[in-house]
Amino acid sequence: MCISTGEAAFSGTIVYCGRQHHPLHGLIHVLGYQNTAVNLADGPNAMLLHLPTRQLTPRHFLSAGRTGDVLRRMVAAVEPVAVGADDIEWMSAEPQVEIFDHDVYTVLLATDPTAIPAALRQVPLHRRPNLDPDLLRFYADHFPDHTVAVCCFDNADAERAKPLLLWYPPLDPDQLTVPALDSHTGAAPDLDATVPVDHWILLSTDQAPDGWGEPVDYPGNMRHSLRSFLPDAVAGRYYGEGQSLLNGDFTISHRNLLAGDLDRIERLQPTRH
């Protein structure tokens, strides 16, 4: 369901990707990511996400504020029967790595994942994970055009984490892709493995016609600065209930999304070298 730097169990993953023309930032993708994490490592752990952009900084991360259930509200919209001070603090930066606090995480952003180990000394000890160099080399080899986010947490923080929300100029505006590679041991993911899935995949576009998708019920007190990045309606699919898929991400073209053809959601693997 995601990649961790140490032993962990993840369940109930909700991933959102929206395509929109923002009044200030132009054509962007907005990503939301949330799961239930159980840290099985002896010490701190981290969740790694590879994001299809070369332009990602702390200012691209959005605070959920009091609306920690925003992704669950999207799930409730597409499947009614489903069970379903927060500002970013800048810390410091290495030449190739940006480091900052966001919600319960200390986040490291790097376009060159091999630069991350040298920056780990900036992470507080109670959140500083052990990183397998082979895992970072995997990202460098397979996602050279992406930004990697290492979201460090400790045991006490994991259960109260709000969803990660961020926006970015995508590498391909017309392909909506969400990270879903799976490895919970700290090692690089096995691209030949079939892995169990437990994912809600939620999608939106501001070019959808009237009547497309399902309207989302947001709280009336949601901050406008957050609401401007969120969709009026979403479409979604659940993958789980004993289902297993070849290890990879989820992706769909904007054209198929506009047509409401969620059967065209595909499993995407990185290019092998």
Side-chain angles (χ1 to χ4, degrees):
M1 294 143 206
C2 72
I3 295 178
S4 59
T5 60
E7 289 278 355
F10 297 94
S11 61
T13 300
I14 306 172
V15 193
Y16 162 73
C17 186
R19 182 185 188 272
Q20 69 163 266
H21 295 79
H22 192 273
L24 295 179
H25 308 300
L27 181 55
I28 61 171
H29 284 185
V30 180
L31 179 81
Y33 196 98
Q34 187 173 28
N35 57 27
T36 300
V38 178
N39 185 9
L40 303 178
D42 292 334
N45 212 329
M47 175 176 64
L48 286 83
L49 301 174
H50 49 285
L51 304 165
T53 181
R54 297 286 292 182
Q55 302 176 50
L56 194 63
T57 68
R59 74 181 182 91
H60 291 91
F61 281 67
L62 305 169
S63 171
R66 296 183 296 271
T67 321
D69 63 346
V70 59
L71 295 185
R72 299 192 185 280
R73 286 174 177 266
M74 293 184 187
V75 169
V78 299
E79 180 53 88
V81 299
V83 175
D86 298 304
D87 292 334
I88 294 170
E89 178 185 350
W90 172 259
M91 290 183 63
S92 61
E94 295 291 320
Q96 296 173 291
V97 182
E98 295 188 272
I99 310 167
F100 59 100
D101 281 340
H102 180 74
D103 190 33
V104 303
Y105 301 103
T106 297
V107 181
L108 298 90
L109 296 178
T111 53
D112 177 7
T114 62
I116 290 173
L120 275 177
R121 66 178 183 273
Q122 300 286 344
V123 177
L125 275 174
H126 70 286
R127 291 184 186 167
R128 189 183 305 167
N130 292 317
L131 279 167
D132 185 340
D134 288 342
L135 175 58
L136 299 177
R137 175 52 57 189
F138 171 87
Y139 279 109
D141 289 344
H142 290 84
F143 297 98
D145 295 325
H146 288 53
T147 300
V148 172
V150 182
C151 305
C152 307
F153 61 90
D154 67 14
N155 288 325
D157 290 338
E159 292 185 359
R160 61 186 182 89
K162 295 176 182 176
L164 282 170
L165 298 168
L166 56 140
W167 64 272
Y168 49 83
L171 296 174
D172 184 351
D174 294 322
Q175 194 71 30
L176 286 76
T177 301
V178 297
L181 273 172
D182 188 280
S183 177
H184 303 164
T185 64
D190 181 356
L191 297 180
D192 295 317
T194 299
V195 296
V197 288
D198 180 16
H199 290 72
W200 271 103
I201 305 300
L202 303 166
L203 302 157
S204 76
T205 169
D206 63 355
Q207 292 185 300
D210 291 342
W212 182 95
E214 301 297 332
V216 183
D217 180 22
Y218 298 113
N221 63 349
M222 177 180 282
R223 291 174 296 113
H224 175 73
S225 58
L226 175 60
R227 181 66 182 87
S228 67
F229 286 94
L230 299 177
D232 294 330
V234 295
R237 279 284 172 86
Y238 176 67
Y239 297 84
E241 297 181 351
Q243 186 177 9
S244 293
L245 298 173
L246 185 65
N247 208 354
D249 298 329
F250 290 98
T251 190
I252 188 172
S253 71
H254 185 237
R255 181 176 62 181
N256 288 328
L257 180 60
L258 278 174
D261 188 2
L262 298 192
D263 289 338
R264 302 301 294 272
I265 295 176
E266 298 176 339
R267 200 70 156 156
L268 177 69
Q269 287 200 313
T271 302
R272 302 195 188 208
H273 299 279

